[in-house]
């Protein structure tokens, strides 16, 4: 930078002092002589040392700020290019060194401080940063996908467990129903078997009883049953079972027992009463003749009399009555005979 040469000195004339110097509006007589500053080369040359260093630092800061701004713009552009995933390689950009403020104002002999930084390195760093961001985004995406898959797996497992529980419950219900059905079938089969066994046992018992019991006569016809209503009977209904047969047909002892009555009995005509071992009384009425006497023991099939028409009758027949325990009122002889294995 060129220095100013010294200006010629002017004579000191107080009365000729300019009123415009340093912004004074008028001359003051009380002021003393003023020293006029005349810059010279020595006064304009900056002092070397701390002050120069400060100016160099200021210039370096300005230049560095400029380079940094350009680098940031390049980095942002490179980052945008990297984020777009275009696949193109980064472009290397470099800038020449810029003089600092100290070099501009200090002189040609002062060397510039620092150097320009190639923007290709910034672009590369930005690319690496973008790649790192892409890797981080991919990692985040993978983590989110893993969490989603885990949650979906949990939902699927829960649904599968619910389905398995429902299937197990249905299977348990079906098994319970099958077991119940099997139990019912077994109970019915057991009941049927028991009924069959009971029938077989009853048939066997009746067969054995049939050997001990017999019908009172043969070649007969059932003409009146127990409980039949009509005016022919003094009680208003029939109290026994009538076996119509010709007069003189043999009358047999139905079962073994003792003769407790044999003779005339009014409307019953000639009557014979056979008392069994259990106390049941069998009345044989309207006989034409009696073949046994009171106190006589008889066995099944023994002849005790003959069919007749004595007493209150309309024809020859055997009137049979059954009185359990010797009661005055009798029961249905048909049912009693069938209970003994006989079928009148």
């Amino acid at each position: 930078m060129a220095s100013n040469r010294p200006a010629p000195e002017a004579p000191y004339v107080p009365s000729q002092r300019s009123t415009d110097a340093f912004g004074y509006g008028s001359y003051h007589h009380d002021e003393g002589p003023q020293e006029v500053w005349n810059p010279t080369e020595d006064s304009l040359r900056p002092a070397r040392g701390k002050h120069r260093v400060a100016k160099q630092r200021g210039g370096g800061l300005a230049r560095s700020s400029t380079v940094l701004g350009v680098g940031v713009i390049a980095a942002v552009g490179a980052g945008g290019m990297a984020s777009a995933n275009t696949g193109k390689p980064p472009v290397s950009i470099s800038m020449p060194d810029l003089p600092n403020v100290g070099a501009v104002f200090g002189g040609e002999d002062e060397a510039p401080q620092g150097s320009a930084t190639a923007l290709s390195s910034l672009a590369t760093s930005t690319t690496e940063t973008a790649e790192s961001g892409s890797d981080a985004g991919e990692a985040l995406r993978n983590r989110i996908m893993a969490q989603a898959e885990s949650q979906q797996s949990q939902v699927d497992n829960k649904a599968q467990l619910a389905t398995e529980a429902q299937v197990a419950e249905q299977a348990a219900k079906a098994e319970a129903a099958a077991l119940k059905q099997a139990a019912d079938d077994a109970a019915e089969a057991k009941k049927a078997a028991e009924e069959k066994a009971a029938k077989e046992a009853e048939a066997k018992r009746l067969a054995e009883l049939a050997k001990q019991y017999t019908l009172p006569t043969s070649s007969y016809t059932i003409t009146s049953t127990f409980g039949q209503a009509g005016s022919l009977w003094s009680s208003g209904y029939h109290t026994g079972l009538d076996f119509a047969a010709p007069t003189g047909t043999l009358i047999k002892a139905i079962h073994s027992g003792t003769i407790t009555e044999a003779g005339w009995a009014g409307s019953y005509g000639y009557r014979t009463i056979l008392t069994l071992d259990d106390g049941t009384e069998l009345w044989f009425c309207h006989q034409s003749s009696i073949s046994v006497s009171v106190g006589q023991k008889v066995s099944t099939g023994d002849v005790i009399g003959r069919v007749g028409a004595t007493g209150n009758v309309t024809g020859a027949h055997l009137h049979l009555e059954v009185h359990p325990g010797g009661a005055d009122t009798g029961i249905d002889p048909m049912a009693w005979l069938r209970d003994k294995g006989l079928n009148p």
Side-chain angles (χ1 to χ4, degrees):
M1 209 174 164
S3 59
N4 297 328
R5 297 187 179 275
E9 295 182 0
Y12 172 69
V13 181
S15 60
Q16 296 178 356
R17 180 175 297 177
S18 174
T19 60
D20 294 333
F22 298 101
Y24 289 100
S26 61
Y27 175 78
H28 299 276
H29 296 278
D30 56 350
E31 292 179 357
Q34 298 294 328
E35 181 181 355
V36 178
W37 176 64
N38 186 14
T40 61
E41 182 180 358
D42 293 335
S43 62
L44 291 177
R45 180 179 296 274
R48 297 181 181 273
K50 288 178 68 175
H51 183 67
R52 179 188 177 191
V53 171
K55 287 172 38 173
Q56 291 176 351
R57 287 178 182 176
L61 178 59
R63 184 192 61 185
S64 299
S65 299
T66 303
V67 176
L68 181 59
V70 176
V72 168
I73 294 173
V76 171
M81 294 173 62
S83 62
N85 294 325
T86 57
K88 296 181 180 181
V91 179
S92 176
I93 301 174
S94 61
M95 295 291 292
D97 291 342
L98 298 176
N100 55 19
V101 176
V104 172
F105 294 97
E108 296 178 355
D109 58 341
E110 294 179 355
Q113 300 295 325
S115 61
T117 302
L119 294 183
S120 59
S121 61
L122 293 177
T124 302
S125 300
T126 305
T127 303
E128 293 177 353
T129 303
E131 291 178 354
S132 300
S134 176
D135 294 341
E138 184 66 21
L140 178 60
R141 175 182 175 277
N142 294 334
R143 185 164 67 252
I144 294 174
M145 292 298 295
Q147 291 178 356
E149 291 177 357
S150 176
Q151 294 177 358
Q152 184 64 34
S153 177
Q154 293 178 0
V155 171
D156 294 341
N157 292 336
K158 186 176 181 181
Q160 183 177 1
L161 291 176
T163 303
E164 292 177 354
Q166 185 177 4
V167 171
E169 183 179 359
Q170 294 178 354
K173 289 182 178 180
E175 184 178 1
L179 293 176
K180 185 178 182 301
Q181 185 64 35
D184 294 342
D185 294 342
E188 291 181 358
K190 182 179 179 181
K191 183 179 179 180
E194 291 177 352
E195 291 178 353
K196 182 179 180 181
K199 289 181 180 180
E200 292 177 353
E202 182 65 14
K204 184 178 181 180
R205 183 186 71 84
L206 294 177
E208 293 296 330
L209 289 174
K211 296 177 182 179
Q212 302 174 16
Y213 291 84
T214 187
L215 291 175
T217 189
S218 59
S219 302
Y220 62 88
T221 301
I222 301 295
T223 56
S224 296
T225 58
F226 179 82
Q228 185 176 345
S231 58
L232 297 175
W233 303 282
S234 59
S235 61
Y237 65 94
H238 194 227
T239 57
L241 182 64
D242 289 349
F243 295 83
T247 300
T249 303
L250 297 177
I251 299 174
K252 302 175 183 179
I254 296 175
H255 190 60
S256 60
T258 303
I259 301 300
T260 56
E261 183 180 329
W264 184 260
S267 61
Y268 286 104
Y270 288 103
R271 181 180 65 179
T272 299
I273 297 177
L274 173 62
T275 302
L276 304 180
D277 295 337
D278 62 358
T280 301
E281 293 181 354
L282 302 178
W283 294 4
F284 301 87
C285 306
H286 306 304
Q287 297 179 78
S288 60
S289 63
I290 297 174
S291 305
V292 294
S293 58
V294 176
Q296 181 180 345
K297 298 288 186 179
V298 297
S299 299
T300 302
D302 291 345
V303 176
I304 62 175
R306 291 180 184 270
V307 176
T310 60
N312 187 14
V313 296
T314 58
H317 68 280
L318 168 64
H319 177 82
L320 176 66
E321 291 188 9
V322 178
H323 294 259
D328 294 337
T329 303
I331 62 174
D332 185 3
M334 180 74 76
W336 186 85
L337 290 172
R338 287 177 177 174
D339 185 61
K340 304 306 178 183
L342 303 174
N343 189 17

